[in-house]
Amino acid sequence: MPETFEPTIVAFFCNWCTYIAADLAGTSRTKYAPNTRVIRVMCSGRVDPQFVLGAFARGADGVLIGGCHPGDCHYQQGNYNALRRFELLRRMLRDMGIEEERVRLEWISAAEGHKVQAVCNEMTEQVRALGPLRLVTPPRVEADGDVGTPEPAAELAGRVTS
Amino acid sequence: MSSEILIDPITRLEGHGRIHIFVNDEGSVDHAYLQIPELRGFEKFAQGRRAEDMPQITSRICGVCPMAHHMAGTKTLDDLFHVDPPPAAKKVREMVYDAFMVEDHALHFFFLGGPDFVVGPTAPKAERNILGVIGKVGLEIGKEVIGVRKEIRDLMNDAAGKAIHPVFGLPGGVSQPISPELRDRFVAGAVHAVEFGKFALQIFRDVVLSNAEYVDLVTSEAYTHRTYYMGLVDQENRVNFYDGHLRVVDPDGKEFLTFEPRDYLEHVAEHVEPWSYIKFAYLKDVGWNGFNDGADSGVFAVAPLARLNASDGMSTPVAQEAYEEFFSTLGGRPVHHTLATHWARLVELVNAAERMGELAADPEITSSEVRTIPTATPTEGIGVVEAPRGTLIHHYQTDERGLITQANLIVATQNNAARIALSVDKAAKALVHGPEVNEGLLNEVEMAFRAYDPCFGCATHSLPGEMPLIVEIRGPQNELVREIRRD
Amino acid sequence: MTKPKVAFYWCASCGGCEEAVIDLAEVVLDVVEAVDIVFWPVALDFKISDVEALADGELAASFVNGAIRTSEQREMVELLRRKSGAVVAFGACAWLGGIPGLANLSSRESILDYVYHEVPSMQDGNGVRPQEETDVPEGRLRLPHFDEDVRTLDQVIDVDYYLPGCPPPPSLIAQAVTALVEGKLPEKGSVLAPDVALCAECPRAGTKPEDLKVERFHRPYEIVADPETCLLAQGLVCLGPATRSGCDAVCIAANMPCTGCMGPTSRVLDHGAKALSAIASLMQTQEQEEIAALAEQLVDPVGTFYRYSLPASLLHRHVAPDGARAEVEADGATPVGASTRGGGGS
């Protein structure tokens, strides 16, 4: 029997809204696909495009960003910045061959536990249908001259120059 | 016993290359192949780029002649966006372009190809460089060369943003006008450049033409090919580096073909060999008939020798005199001696310098009207200039947003590639005998390549002898930072 | 005392970095005083065999420019690494991949197809393509392998220092060589340029508003830029905020925006991502449709933000050129992120 592809979705949820909603889904015993690995950030505006790319480079098949609804941001403007970056980033990712369904931005308020469930389930299935991302990244030479294995974490550690 | 000689890498030129020589049992050369082992794929990764970025992207094809690509690309954008720059913008572009031609030609003669000629083709390795040239022709000239080149580089930096990878080209004009102060420096620079060009021609007469051995070398059959020649000319069939129509003459010097740049595909095509990454251009009207010269072969040449051969004269007086002297000395047009390219280059240097001066003196050169804003939807464009190394063609097609869908580039050296291959083979066959060859002889084989594809050379080896040298090192604001003396 | 020996070499390069050394003009003679250049194919007649004859570590430093695209380039830089005390990645291509790095948007096959078969001047072509081995009547000729992708120098060998720019400004080159000769180089891995963004040294910085917002992005040919005012404030996409300084802002002086050739500061992992973030943050509007419309005005995000740095980026290349997933590359690159493990894996 063929193994079903289980996508890895990395999710950046803002502390004040989406993360609480995810918590709520948990305490309500609202089940949703376990493929989502949640990382809590203080604001969706904290999500640097480098985080999204880094997630893909480390093996994510999809990246989800969750923030407060427009007008509700704890820091006033943060979610608008997230939106601006997201709109530009997904176009650039498309030009790099990463399908639009693999990167998603959702406004999820603290009370919307069911929305967390719906979005995570839907995204899991969409990415499952697309298949694994399978990036090719070259090995990077380590400081001692050894050519390291192409493990994403080791690679990224070596990338900060000075 | 048969053997193989590999010259790897070829040196004192821009780009990578190696020469593989097959020597047979009798000790003579069966064939010498010049292989270019590199490819980057500009024509492919141009796809999807904004058209207006192409002058800056394509300049990275060559950091020695980036201005040529930048200018060809900029002219292509005019065509692509169906926009006509204001007259002042065209003059600014041409003036800056002529400055670049002066600088690049000067660099080649003194730093790269010149040493072989001026110092001697089989001189010791350590002397085949600018310092050897200085030793032969004097210290004054060394300071002149460095000084004039720096002056012109600074003009290019200030007019175009950077001399290496300029930024000022836009469809419909240039990004900034020439200020009166900069114009004055161009005027002075042109005067220095014309004097310098005359000076260089005199050096050539004194050091090369008055030396019977060198003259024999230049006119020897080993370095001679009888091919077609192509170059841009103006309405009166005079050499023009910036604009005009293309003219081809046959091996007897008769006009064979003229065409507008936008019709280049009807007349120029590319041929591939499995043993080199370079593509060889040839004349479609004659056809590809192998690596041969003569009227039945589509092999042709571009660059200084070809441009002089394909024209009826130069557009400026001092250069015209030099043009006439060139042909009367070498037996009339066309001249087929490849090494005579070094002389033709100096004739062009003077022409570019004079033209630069004419444009700098034009009252319109400081006009602030240097932009026409395009309004039409971009479709397709073709732009041509004469790079120092030959005819350069850029061709872009875009979608309605101005993103490149297709790019085709016929880069100057490709137009010479087949003739270069012939030259290397012929020189090797004439010069190499037996499996043992000395280093100087192999350099003479390399010279067959070097005459065509000058790049920069530089005299950065340890100083060979006790040569008196006084150098002033100046900082960015021309302040004296240090003086070095070796005397 | 013998002078330290150095080598200059070029890989997938345009020669502009070599020209930048020449543009040191008289300063070059100062360099020649201090070092012995023993290998520099563009300028000197030494051959590969001369480098092979050196003892390991005999070179004080090798300055290598250009990105890595062929087997010959890989072999040469590995040779120079063995023979050198320090290796300096010289210029944008060696550090980040450079403009040739844009070839990572295509597959190797599609590049060869286009260049040798599909361009208009090949329409009547002979269908031949360069081969790694060709038998000619006289014997066998070889060409290097054209790799699947473009790599930075430090993706192939260990690199000690980086000199940014396309090309590096002569002042930075002079400083780097002086530091080498005087033994005053900073810690290994350093980029030899100021570690602040270009806005800090831009002559127009005074006209950049505190709260800079853009209502519309303009392409450079759409407007005549005011020569005194911040280009970003005029709606031109200038990468100054996300790009290292040290270049005297010469492009801005010519009234054209910065395109990012000096690479990122040390606090950035991925130059293109950071540049994208900086430009996106300038959008004036909060409305989703208007934001999307502004994003649409940036018609070539990869070419704009990753122009010099695609091979060094986190994704390294287009993930599926020509619709096919990239396979394992014979010379060592292997795929990562194959998520066929079950849910809850590492």
Side-chain angles (χ1 to χ4, degrees), chain C residues 216-277:
Chain C
R216 215 217 109 114
F217 291 113
H218 292 290
R219 290 171 66 169
Y221 61 82
E222 287 175 344
I223 63 166
V224 179
D226 179 271
E228 317 271 294
T229 311
C230 170
L231 293 172
L232 277 169
Q234 300 182 61
L236 292 175
V237 177
C238 179
L239 301 191
T243 301
R244 218 179 254 262
S245 71
C247 57
D248 282 331
V250 287
C251 298
I252 283 81
N255 217 18
M256 289 293 279
C258 167
T259 56
C261 82
M262 288 286 285
T265 62
S266 64
R267 299 165 287 285
V268 169
L269 285 181
D270 181 311
H271 191 205
K274 216 49 178 163
L276 178 151
S277 185

Side-chain angles (χ1 to χ4, degrees), chain B residues 19 86 108 136 139 149 247 257 260 266 304 334 388 450:
Chain B
I19 298 175
H108 173 254
K136 266 289 209 240
L139 179 58
R149 184 174 181 275
R247 189 180 194 220
L257 180 61
E260 291 301 317
E266 292 170 37
R450 246 176 237 131

Side-chain angles (χ1 to χ4, degrees), chain C:
Chain C
M1 195 186 84
T2 54
K3 296 193 281 188
K5 294 183 176 145
V6 299
F8 285 91
Y9 190 69
W10 50 5
C11 301
S13 146
C14 71
C17 286
E18 264 78 11
E19 277 269 328
V21 174
I22 308 306
D23 278 351
L24 292 175
E26 310 83 4
V27 178
V28 142
L29 294 167
D30 211 13
V31 170
V32 170
E33 281 271 313
V35 301
D36 199 3
I37 303 181
V38 298
F39 183 63
W40 195 4
V42 76
L44 307 175
D45 289 354
F46 297 106
K47 307 296 180 189
I48 295 173
S49 50
D50 295 306
V51 179
E52 287 165 343
L54 296 167
D56 282 5
E58 191 175 338
L59 291 170
S62 285
F63 296 85
V64 180
N65 69 74
I68 310 292
R69 186 83 216 223
T70 70
S71 54
E72 178 184 75
Q73 291 155 5
R74 283 187 270 122
E75 285 156 18
M76 278 306 302
V77 301
E78 282 162 6
L79 173 67
L80 287 167
R81 176 73 265 184
R82 280 203 297 285
K83 304 295 180 184
S84 304
V87 170
V88 179
F90 193 107
C93 293
W95 179 21
L96 300 168
I99 283 183
L102 289 170
N104 276 2
L105 289 170
S106 303
S107 68
R108 176 181 182 275
E109 271 307 298
S110 68
I111 292 172
L112 293 172
D113 278 342
Y114 190 72
V115 171
Y116 296 106
H117 304 301
E118 294 167 14
V119 290
S121 38
M122 288 298 305
Q123 292 307 316
D124 312 326
N126 50 348
V128 171
R129 180 192 278 209
Q131 301 294 323
E132 284 166 52
E133 283 188 355
T134 304
D135 285 325
V136 291
E138 302 83 5
R140 176 167 287 181
L141 292 169
R142 291 186 169 76
L143 282 178
H145 177 68
F146 180 67
D147 288 345
E148 184 59 41
D149 59 2
V150 181
R151 296 191 214 172
T152 65
L153 188 61
D154 65 15
Q155 287 166 353
V156 179
I157 58 167
D158 184 34
V159 170
D160 298 281
Y161 300 101
Y162 304 86
L163 194 54
C166 181
S171 53
L172 291 187
I173 300 173
Q175 280 169 36
V177 177
T178 304
L180 173 79
V181 167
E182 294 177 0
K184 289 183 184 160
L185 283 164
E187 66 169 359
K188 180 173 154 149
S190 296
V191 175
L192 304 174
D195 201 12
V196 287
L198 183 60
C199 291
E201 82 174 9
C202 180
R204 305 192 192 189
T207 63
K208 182 180 169 194
E210 270 290 322
D211 184 27
L212 173 58
K213 284 295 175 208
V214 171
E215 288 182 12
R216 215 217 109 114
F217 291 113
H218 292 290
R219 290 171 66 169
Y221 61 82
E222 287 175 344
I223 63 166
V224 179
D226 179 271
E228 317 271 294
T229 311
C230 170
L231 293 172
L232 277 169
Q234 300 182 61
L236 292 175
V237 177
C238 179
L239 301 191
T243 301
R244 218 179 254 262
S245 71
C247 57
D248 282 331
V250 287
C251 298
I252 283 81
N255 217 18
M256 289 293 279
C258 167
T259 56
C261 82
M262 288 286 285
T265 62
S266 64
R267 299 165 287 285
V268 169
L269 285 181
D270 181 311
H271 191 205
K274 216 49 178 163
L276 178 151
S277 185
I279 298 300
S281 310
L282 300 176
M283 293 179 188
Q284 165 79 327
T285 175
Q286 294 177 342
E287 299 303 319
Q288 200 273 332
E289 275 111 40
E290 289 172 20
I291 289 174
L294 274 168
E296 282 294 311
Q297 285 169 1
L298 298 169
V299 291
D300 175 26
V302 177
T304 300
F305 299 119
Y306 279 124
R307 184 176 304 184
Y308 302 91
S309 61
L310 189 58
S313 71
L314 288 164
L315 295 180
H316 177 63
R317 64 165 306 146
H318 191 290
V319 308
D322 318 321
R325 292 276 171 220
E327 295 304 324
V328 175
E329 170 62 19
D331 58 5
T334 54
V336 294
S339 300
T340 51
R341 44 188 183 264
S346 63

